Amino acid sequence: MTATDDAPGESPELDAALAETVRRTGASIGALYLLTPDEQMLCIDALCGVPADFALPWARVPLTSPAPVAHAVQEDRLIWVGDQEELARQYPRTALALPYPLAMAAAPVNGVRRWGALLLMWPATRPPYMTARERGNIASSCRRLARLLEEALEGGRAPLCDGGPRVVPVIDERRSVSPAMAAADFAERLPGGSCALDLEGRFTYLTSGAADLLGLGAEQLLGTLPWQSLRWLDDPTYEDRYRAAVVSREPVSFTACRPPGQWLDFHLYPDASGISVRIVHSGTAQPPVPARPRRSTRNVTPARAGRLYQLTHLAAALTEVVGVQDVIDLAADQIMPAFDAQGLVLSSVDAGRLRIMGHRGYGARSVERLDGLPLDTTFTPAGRALASGIPAFFRNAEEMRRIYPGAPQVSGKQAWAFLPLIISGRPVGICVLSYDQPHEFPAEERAVMTSLAGLVAQALDRAHLYDTKHALAHGLQQALLPRALPQFGGLRVAARYLPATRGMDIGGDFYDLIRLADGAAAAVIGDVQGHNVAAAALMGQVRTAVHAHATAGSTPDQVLSRTNRLLTDLGSDLFTSCLYAHVDVARGRVGLAGAGHPPPVLRLPDGSARAVPLRPGPLLGIDPVADFPVTDLALVPGATLVFYTDGLVETPGTDLEDSITALARHLADAEDGDLDRLVDVLLSRTSTTAQRTDDIALLLLHRDR
């Protein structure tokens, strides 16, 4: 960000004011956010107390974002967050980016115009409240920053939100300077090893003992990052411990193994200038640390990187779900294990009530009691969580019983997380994770759960829309397919429709068997491209047109020609294939006309089977004057004619003719006494698998002997 024309990136007065504010308030970290010219975004102009790359996750904050600095500007007031639990509850996204014990204040920086916000952070050791005097000091500092910004603007040095933040050093005036040699001698006399890191994480000093324990000389380590120069420390967990010390300003400890089997304990002691590190063999008595009236950073789970990986993995999985059942299965199979939960209830908002869509780990009686609760229920925390949009966590049954005395008896669970599912302020449901034993909910876990609930809400809303659309199309498709096939003397028939696998289980495949005026039968099968409402609707139009022209006495070629002209006039961009057969049962003759459809397969009484040689015309709806040649075929007593759609035979990487030949071979090997059983055999022995990418229609005609 440029503050002056002649000295890009520098603003001494503003930087000095920010550093003085951080020092005077006792904060460990400070950041000055400025509004972009369009006032849609807040970006960090100056930063002190941490390296610039630490601030990357929160360097730019949309003004509409649920974040403390955004709310401070929007509401024109100081936002105070006393601890990490409050941060996780009120601002889960911010807590995910800052999963460390800390306190935080965000205050608007306003003068003659809105400039932005000041963000201050303190170690978790400070009191969880803010005094009136502290609030006054912060407000005074914000006014001073606003005046400096306005003076810069008047001098033609308006700050611009481009580039990264300036890092402002904070000098602790309480520190005294000791002779270098005395300090080095002191450190060398201590047992184990000692070293120092700057706020960037680089080695600035090592004793000989530290070099021996780390396995490299000081000349190889100075100026390097531990996780880069020491491969056995190249683990996100160890880097996260260092970040925790820098942000929280609290002592942090961890244990690491230096190959082949030497375990070392690292004790980190941070302040505003860097980190002092003590290294000892694992099991050595830990050096004393200052008393801490509040939580230690050790309470932060060392598996933060794993939690973030879990969140990323689950977020990716949620983008792939299609229907509501997919969301339920994912929650049960992946979200429950990710948080070691033993119970799950996923409910949706329906007509003012919470309807349970899926559950795990609950008995039938418990589900019956919890299903259908009103949205404003006071029987469980679900009502309050939905109304406020704030998750509710209960570590044990006693906590639950104090507010909701009847809830623990219903399920027998001992800990609960009630996660409201909210989209744009609209509740869509609630996800309840429960535990068979009391369970602590660390602040980081609460933040991850809350963020995940937002992803589940989005996935559930999409799934509801998909299921609604699917139900419409599937109902349309089923209504347009014949409920029962007419019976003909001397002719046995069977038919089957199979949808594609979940996610695409509607389509345009259809079949029909029509009784004609002369006692003959018209058999038709077709395939409209696509698996959606449009495909199902066009399928209905094609089937209706074929039925109308067939019963009017048209020949096979006329039926397809007239249907083709109709589709051409409709101007649909979906391709449609069709095979039409006029079956004269008494004479045993079949007239076939095709429009880009696979040929039928004929099985003769001797058991042999082959594809019928057919000269098909083009797909319907392309050429309004296309011709559809008619092929004449004998259907002798004992013969079976099989009509099918390409979903039965098409396999990626396999020639279609080879697949049709394989279908004929399967037909020849099967018994044809029971046509329904023969349909099952053809479906099971073809190359289709449980994961079908296309729907299948089958229509079988068998002339009795």
Side-chain angles (χ1 to χ4, degrees):
M1 186 169 301
T2 303
T4 64
D5 293 334
D6 54 348
E10 296 182 4
S11 181
E13 299 86 356
L14 197 64
D15 294 353
L18 177 62
E20 175 63 15
T21 298
V22 172
R23 187 192 66 78
R24 192 173 67 249
T25 59
S28 55
I29 298 170
L32 175 61
Y33 282 84
L34 296 183
L35 280 166
T36 55
D38 60 4
E39 297 197 352
Q40 299 299 309
M41 187 78 65
L42 288 161
C43 59
I44 296 180
D45 175 47
L47 175 72
C48 62
V50 290
D53 65 334
F54 272 35
L56 289 178
W58 32 285
R60 294 178 65 85
V61 178
L63 193 59
T64 57
S65 174
V69 289
H71 282 179
V73 174
Q74 290 173 357
E75 301 173 13
D76 192 23
R77 67 181 180 90
L78 186 144
I79 303 294
W80 167 251
V81 181
D83 57 28
Q84 180 67 11
E85 287 191 6
E86 185 178 352
L87 184 66
R89 184 171 62 254
Q90 301 291 345
Y91 301 100
R93 295 184 190 177
T94 305
L96 193 62
L98 293 167
Y100 312 109
L102 51 80
M104 178 186 298
V109 176
N110 295 332
V112 296
R113 54 170 281 187
R114 292 196 311 176
W115 284 101
L118 172 67
L119 178 68
L120 298 170
M121 301 183 199
W122 292 264
T125 50
R126 69 150 288 149
Y129 57 86
M130 178 166 282
T131 65
R133 182 175 181 178
E134 288 177 313
R135 289 176 178 268
N137 285 338
I138 293 175
S140 175
S141 296
C142 289
R143 289 193 294 271
R144 181 185 178 194
L145 291 170
R147 284 196 303 272
L148 291 171
L149 288 166
E150 287 159 5
E151 290 172 3
L153 180 62
E154 291 173 359
R157 297 177 287 114
L160 304 173
C161 278
D162 60 356
R166 298 186 309 279
V167 177
V168 180
V170 179
I171 299 175
D172 189 347
E173 299 176 351
R174 297 169 299 177
R175 299 181 64 86
S176 60
V177 179
S178 302
M181 290 302 300
D185 290 342
F186 169 78
E188 287 289 344
R189 286 191 291 269
L190 295 174
S194 302
C195 60
L197 307 176
D198 62 17
L199 290 179
E200 300 286 344
R202 295 182 176 85
F203 286 106
T204 57
Y205 174 77
L206 293 98
T207 64
S208 58
D212 291 339
L213 289 172
L214 296 176
L216 287 178
E219 69 279 4
Q220 297 171 280
L221 294 174
L222 288 173
T224 69
L225 298 170
W227 40 90
Q228 293 180 357
S229 53
L230 300 168
R231 295 181 61 87
W232 48 279
L233 285 178
D234 185 15
D235 186 298
T237 301
Y238 303 139
E239 183 180 352
D240 189 62
R241 299 298 82 217
Y242 148 75
R243 288 174 175 263
V246 172
V247 174
S248 70
R249 295 294 198 264
E250 283 196 299
V252 172
S253 298
F254 65 89
T255 301
C257 180
R258 172 190 162 189
Q262 184 177 2
W263 289 89
L264 301 175
D265 290 340
F266 292 77
H267 305 284
L268 282 62
Y269 302 92
D271 72 358
S273 64
I275 299 178
S276 298
V277 183
R278 290 282 293 125
I279 310 171
V280 295
H281 289 285
S282 187
T284 303
Q286 178 182 338
V289 298
R292 292 183 299 278
R294 301 182 67 214
R295 281 186 321 282
S296 165
T297 304
R298 291 187 185 88
N299 288 339
V300 177
T301 172
R304 173 179 174 256
R307 281 291 191 205
L308 290 178
Y309 171 79
Q310 278 183 344
L311 182 62
T312 304
H313 174 74
L314 292 172
L318 283 167
T319 63
E320 298 173 358
V321 297
V322 178
V324 171
Q325 189 59 47
D326 296 324
V327 179
I328 295 169
D329 292 342
L330 177 67
D333 298 339
Q334 297 191 37
I335 295 178
M336 279 179 62
F339 296 102
D340 298 322
Q342 290 80 49
L344 167 78
V345 173
L346 192 61
S347 303
S348 66
V349 174
D350 181 16
R353 293 188 175 272
L354 285 171
R355 299 295 181 185
I356 295 179
M357 299 178 296
H359 59 88
R360 296 289 191 279
Y362 283 78
R365 288 190 175 182
S366 298
V367 172
E368 183 179 357
R369 178 66 182 87
L370 296 172
D371 191 21
L373 293 174
L375 294 185
D376 58 354
T377 179
T378 57
F379 180 69
T380 74
R384 180 179 296 180
L386 273 176
S388 65
I390 299 175
F393 300 92
F394 297 85
R395 296 175 295 180
N396 52 58
E398 184 57 34
E399 285 188 3
M400 174 74 81
R401 194 176 293 112
R402 282 199 296 266
I403 307 175
Y404 305 95
Q409 284 73 32
V410 173
S411 64
K413 301 296 184 182
Q414 298 297 307
W416 299 263
F418 287 80
L419 308 174
L421 308 179
I422 310 292
I423 297 178
S424 301
R426 174 175 58 89
V428 298
I430 193 160
C431 178
V432 181
L433 294 173
S434 58
Y435 298 80
D436 293 339
Q437 301 296 328
H439 179 83
E440 296 292 331
F441 293 95
E444 184 186 8
E445 184 176 73
R446 296 186 184 201
V448 175
M449 282 185 175
T450 305
S451 297
L452 188 62
L455 299 175
V456 172
Q458 295 285 346
L460 190 61
D461 197 46
R462 291 195 310 270
H464 276 305
L465 291 175
Y466 170 83
D467 283 351
T468 300
K469 184 177 180 180
H470 163 265
L472 172 63
H474 190 66
L476 174 62
Q477 184 179 51
Q478 292 301 312
L480 293 173
L481 289 174
R483 295 186 178 182
L485 297 177
Q487 299 299 314
F488 295 86
L491 192 68
R492 287 188 290 125
V493 298
R496 187 78 55 83
Y497 171 79
L498 279 185
T501 49
R502 181 185 298 169
M504 295 180 294
D505 51 353
I506 55 175
D509 287 16
F510 67 96
Y511 62 86
D512 205 354
L513 189 63
I514 307 165
R515 190 185 301 278
L516 302 179
D518 57 0
V524 59
I525 194 163
D527 183 359
V528 178
Q529 177 192 27
H531 304 88
N532 51 33
V533 175
L538 186 60
M539 176 268 285
Q541 292 173 313
V542 174
R543 178 171 174 257
T544 301
V546 170
H547 194 285
H549 294 309
T551 54
S554 301
T555 60
D557 57 329
Q558 291 174 338
V559 170
L560 292 188
S561 294
R562 292 167 182 174
T563 303
N564 176 56
R565 283 197 296 272
L566 171 65
L567 295 188
T568 304
D569 292 341
L570 290 174
S572 173
D573 57 356
L574 298 178
F575 300 119
T576 303
S577 70
C578 187
L579 182 62
Y580 179 87
H582 180 278
V583 184
D584 188 334
V585 183
R587 295 177 56 239
R589 305 301 299 179
V590 179
L592 292 167
H597 200 87
V601 175
L602 176 66
R603 171 175 165 150
L604 298 173
D606 62 3
S608 62
R610 60 181 175 83
V612 176
L614 191 66
R615 293 185 299 140
L619 294 167
L620 299 177
I622 297 177
D623 181 3
V625 295
D627 292 326
F628 300 93
V630 177
T631 300
D632 191 58
L633 176 70
L635 187 64
V636 299
T640 303
L641 194 58
V642 178
F643 301 87
Y644 55 92
T645 55
D646 56 8
L648 185 70
V649 292
E650 271 193 348
T651 304
T654 303
D655 184 78
L656 182 59
E657 290 188 3
D658 293 340
S659 297
I660 295 174
T661 301
L663 173 63
R665 189 164 54 250
H666 295 319
L667 178 62
D669 294 339
E671 296 289 338
D672 62 352
D674 185 333
L675 288 190
D676 286 325
R677 184 175 180 82
L678 178 58
V679 170
D680 292 335
V681 171
L682 293 179
L683 290 172
S684 64
R685 292 187 179 181
T686 59
S687 58
T688 58
T689 66
Q691 295 298 318
R692 293 182 303 278
T693 59
D694 199 2
D695 41 352
I696 299 172
L698 264 176
L699 177 62
L700 275 62
L701 307 180
H702 178 85
R703 187 181 180 194
D704 289 331
R705 296 179 187 273

